[in-house]
Amino acid sequence: MELSQVLAFNAALLVAMASPGPALLVLTQTALSAGRVRAIWTGVGLALVASLWTVSALLGLDAVFTHFPAAYTIAKTVGPLYLIYIAWTTWRSARGSLVEMPRTAPGAAFRRGAMINLLNPKAVLFVAGVLVVMFPPGLSAGQITFVALNHLFVEVTIYSLLAVALSRPGARAGYLAAKTWLDRMCSVVLGGLGVRLLLDRTP
């Protein structure tokens, strides 16, 4: 394994993180509505599970989904339903003020982030596809650990920086001024992603 391969993986990872999706939307909404600390914990949850998917891909878990389609089908059904649930709760609380909304505990924020990536079976297939291209087969246990820790570090760093930026007073003031419509827009996008994934029949 060479440094150039790790850098290429990190570049692909940054592009994937910047692409609009459930992880980025949930982190953004948490930073704007619940503040920096809870957004950072959401990011840690997202990053931890994403790095575990990387380990799973390197160990061949994508082959498990290939050989046991029922496991993939179950995960693929539960994940979109969870996104739809988050969309529904976001829509329901859209008209409430931040003072009236219950303050989510950091542990709950962490679990929410973890569940977003845990219930996304396509994440491991995407990571597996990237890893197959960028890294040679037969990596040692130490090399697998290094790749996973690198993945964790990159995601925690980027999500933490994003959480800090979005939780600044100016960003939160703008969010408060348009909270109802922004929350409803977020809920529509998340719900749409959930429905699309639920109806997607591609393997």
Side-chain angles (χ1 to χ4, degrees):
M1 184 174 67
E2 300 177 358
L3 177 59
S4 60
Q5 295 169 325
V6 176
L7 294 177
F9 173 72
N10 287 349
L13 181 59
L14 290 174
V15 171
M17 292 176 66
S19 301
L24 186 61
L25 284 170
V26 167
L27 183 93
T28 299
Q29 200 270 342
T30 302
L32 291 171
S33 64
R36 181 182 69 253
V37 173
R38 287 159 182 80
I40 290 175
W41 276 108
T42 298
V44 171
L46 289 166
L48 178 61
V49 174
S51 63
L52 291 177
W53 277 130
T54 291
V55 173
S56 300
L58 289 171
L59 295 176
L61 184 58
D62 56 314
V64 173
F65 282 141
T66 300
H67 290 89
F68 297 96
Y72 181 78
T73 300
I74 292 172
K76 191 178 176 182
T77 301
V78 174
L81 288 176
Y82 183 67
L83 288 181
I84 293 170
Y85 167 75
I86 291 178
W88 174 72
T89 57
T90 301
W91 180 281
R92 188 180 60 178
S93 63
R95 293 184 65 86
S97 68
L98 291 181
V99 176
E100 295 168 348
M101 293 172 62
R103 297 292 289 176
T104 304
F110 170 82
R111 290 191 296 272
R112 190 187 195 195
M115 289 293 287
I116 288 293
N117 273 347
L118 184 63
L119 296 174
N120 183 13
K122 286 197 171 183
V124 69
L125 300 180
F126 167 78
V127 172
V130 172
L131 293 172
V132 166
V133 174
M134 295 183 177
F135 293 109
L139 295 181
S140 67
Q143 290 173 324
I144 291 175
T145 301
F146 174 79
V147 173
L149 290 177
N150 166 78
H151 188 161
L152 179 65
F153 173 78
V154 170
E155 290 218 4
V156 168
T157 300
I158 296 301
Y159 283 141
S160 295
L161 291 174
L162 185 60
V164 171
L166 291 174
S167 60
R168 294 176 66 85
R172 285 173 60 80
Y175 166 74
L176 286 171
K179 178 183 180 301
T180 298
W181 296 110
L182 287 176
D183 279 7
R184 286 182 173 173
M185 185 186 307
C186 181
S187 69
V188 168
V189 174
L190 282 174
L193 284 171
V195 171
R196 189 182 70 179
L197 290 173
L198 197 62
L199 298 178
D200 184 10
R201 299 302 178 186
T202 58

